[in-house]
Amino acid sequence: MIFATIGTVSAKSIATRVKAEYNAPTALAAQARGFWHNPQLLRLISAYAIVYIHMSRVVSAVHIDPVVLEILRFGTDLFVVLAGFLTAHVLGNGKSAGAYLRKRLIRIVPLYWGFTVLAFLVENYAMTNHPNSLTELLRSLAFVPYGPYPVLYPTWTLLIIVEFSLIIAAFQLVSAEYGVFYSAAFAVLLAVAGRISGTTDPILVLYTNPMLADFALGIIIFKLASSRSLLFRLPPGSAVIVAVTAVTFGAAAAVLRPFCWPGLPRLLTLGVPMSLLLLGVVVLEQLDVYSNSKLLSFLAKCTYSIYLTHWFVNIVSEKLVDESGDSARLAMVLLFVTPVVITYFSVFVYLYAEVPLTRYLSNRFLTPER
């Protein structure tokens, strides 16, 4: 089943690794809310929305209105809202701030460094129109912005995620009980400060990005779910109506945004709708309405690899379109083929780079949990 998506290269080896990763969610799901199925599915949806956002050259060759592509901007905000939700989930399960931050950095930093260096080499030696200086590379590796985007430009949101990881770890040291609330409030304050100041400094622009408020929204939703608030104590019929309404409104708002209210602040037009979408699927999961597909759960684990690798596949698709003279027929094929190739590549990276590297570093730098 899985090989229809990821191909057949080294089939026996891949099958062994996939089987081991495949079964992990089942064990977690046996615990009380040890694993959230619906939010993980949203992670996968957000990842592929981001993939298509960065296929604008191919989409243009198919003569699709660019406004349609704008709909998929929801993927970035959904990704960040989910990051806040899942971070609160991890810390809510009793993980210390130090353990959380070490595990977070071990998973994020080495792979990011590797693909940033690879992007630097590709842009400087294979794409003469996108050269980067060594200083820009070093700043990107240090998560310090020097302009609108780092060397591997789709990872600009990762810089915000790392920033928030540091913020929430710091506040957890101050208060294990209320740290997530303090960090959410601080993130909102940073976003407001950036909005008010009107700064143009690249560092301040990124570190006060309004999208920081999306983390706070994700944390609020997790706290609502974990505290069993009034919403989660409604009769099942009423809860289903609320959940479906939230999902419908959130999805509809994202679709209508570029057509009806493109000039409104992104927090209102994407952050809040994606939070409602997440709230709806969380309520449904609390009612035991969720996707339990092992395939989707496995692919959801690969979202970080999708996030880091899709740019490399996309530039090949763009090159093919350019060489074909903007062939609409080829571009239409690439709209479907490119995500499949990205999936293959990202699963391979996940199995043979992300998992072994994370486990190796975890064994060296993390204290075994009891």
Side-chain angles (χ1 to χ4, degrees), residues 22-44:
Y22 232 38
N23 293 328
T26 303
L28 287 170
Q31 304 171 12
R33 284 293 151 239
F35 185 84
W36 289 93
H37 294 86
N38 288 347
Q40 296 295 339
L41 178 59
L42 290 183
R43 279 181 64 197
L44 192 59

Side-chain angles (χ1 to χ4, degrees), residues 196-261:
I196 294 174
S197 69
T199 179
T200 58
D201 181 89
I203 296 178
L204 294 178
V205 167
L206 185 97
Y207 289 152
T208 60
N209 192 296
M211 203 171 290
L212 281 166
D214 288 348
F215 288 105
L217 293 173
I219 289 172
I220 290 170
I221 292 170
F222 175 78
K223 286 300 181 180
L224 287 174
S226 60
S227 65
R228 302 295 295 177
S229 65
L230 177 62
L231 174 61
F232 291 88
R233 289 187 278 113
L234 290 172
S238 299
V240 168
I241 293 174
V242 171
V244 172
T245 301
V247 170
T248 302
F249 181 85
V255 171
L256 294 175
R257 180 189 68 90
F259 303 99
C260 299
W261 41 80

Side-chain angles (χ1 to χ4, degrees), residues 5-6 44 47-48 51 111 115 298-310 313 338-355:
T5 306
I6 65 174
L44 192 59
Y48 282 105
V51 166
L111 213 59
F115 280 101
F298 170 74
L299 290 178
K301 292 181 175 184
C302 303
T303 51
Y304 185 48
S305 293
I306 292 172
Y307 179 72
L308 290 177
T309 62
H310 73 273
V313 182
T338 302
V340 174
V341 175
I342 290 170
T343 302
Y344 178 96
F345 191 26
S346 62
V347 169
F348 188 85
V349 168
Y350 172 76
L351 292 174
Y352 290 94
E354 183 178 344
V355 170

